[in-house]
C-alpha cells in the first residue's frame, strides 16, 4: 500500500510514495487525493493511505 497525503514532520509538503506493481492505479488515486487535499476536502480513501496508519 502506498503512502499518500501529508506527513506530520513535513506540514507544507504532500507525498505520493511507494506504488509497487500497481503504479497506474495508485497514481490516479494519489492525484485525486492530493487534489482534494489542496482544496481542503477529505478524500474517502485518505484513512487507508495516510502516514502512521
Amino acid at each position: 500500500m502506498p503512502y499518500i497525503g501529508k506527513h506530520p514532520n513535513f506540514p507544507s509538503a504532500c507525498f505520493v510514495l511507494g506504488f509497487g506493481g500497481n503504479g497506474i492505479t495508485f497514481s490516479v488515486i494519489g492525484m485525486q487525493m492530493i487534489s482534494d487535499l489542496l482544496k481542503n476536502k477529505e478524500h474517502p480513501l485518505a484513512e487507508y493511505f495516510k502516514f502512521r496508519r
Side-chain angles (χ1 to χ4, degrees):
M1 292 289 280
Y3 292 101
I4 303 171
K6 290 194 173 263
H7 190 284
N9 295 341
F10 304 95
S12 63
C14 297
F15 294 89
V16 183
L17 306 170
F19 295 111
N22 300 312
I24 293 172
T25 302
F26 287 130
S27 64
V28 171
I29 293 170
M31 178 270 311
Q32 293 168 342
M33 290 178 64
I34 297 300
S35 177
D36 283 352
L37 184 65
L38 294 173
K39 296 174 189 173
N40 293 318
K41 295 167 57 177
E42 182 71 24
H43 191 277
L45 298 175
E47 187 69 25
Y48 300 106
F49 297 110
K50 69 180 184 178
F51 286 89
R52 298 182 183 164
R53 53 183 178 234

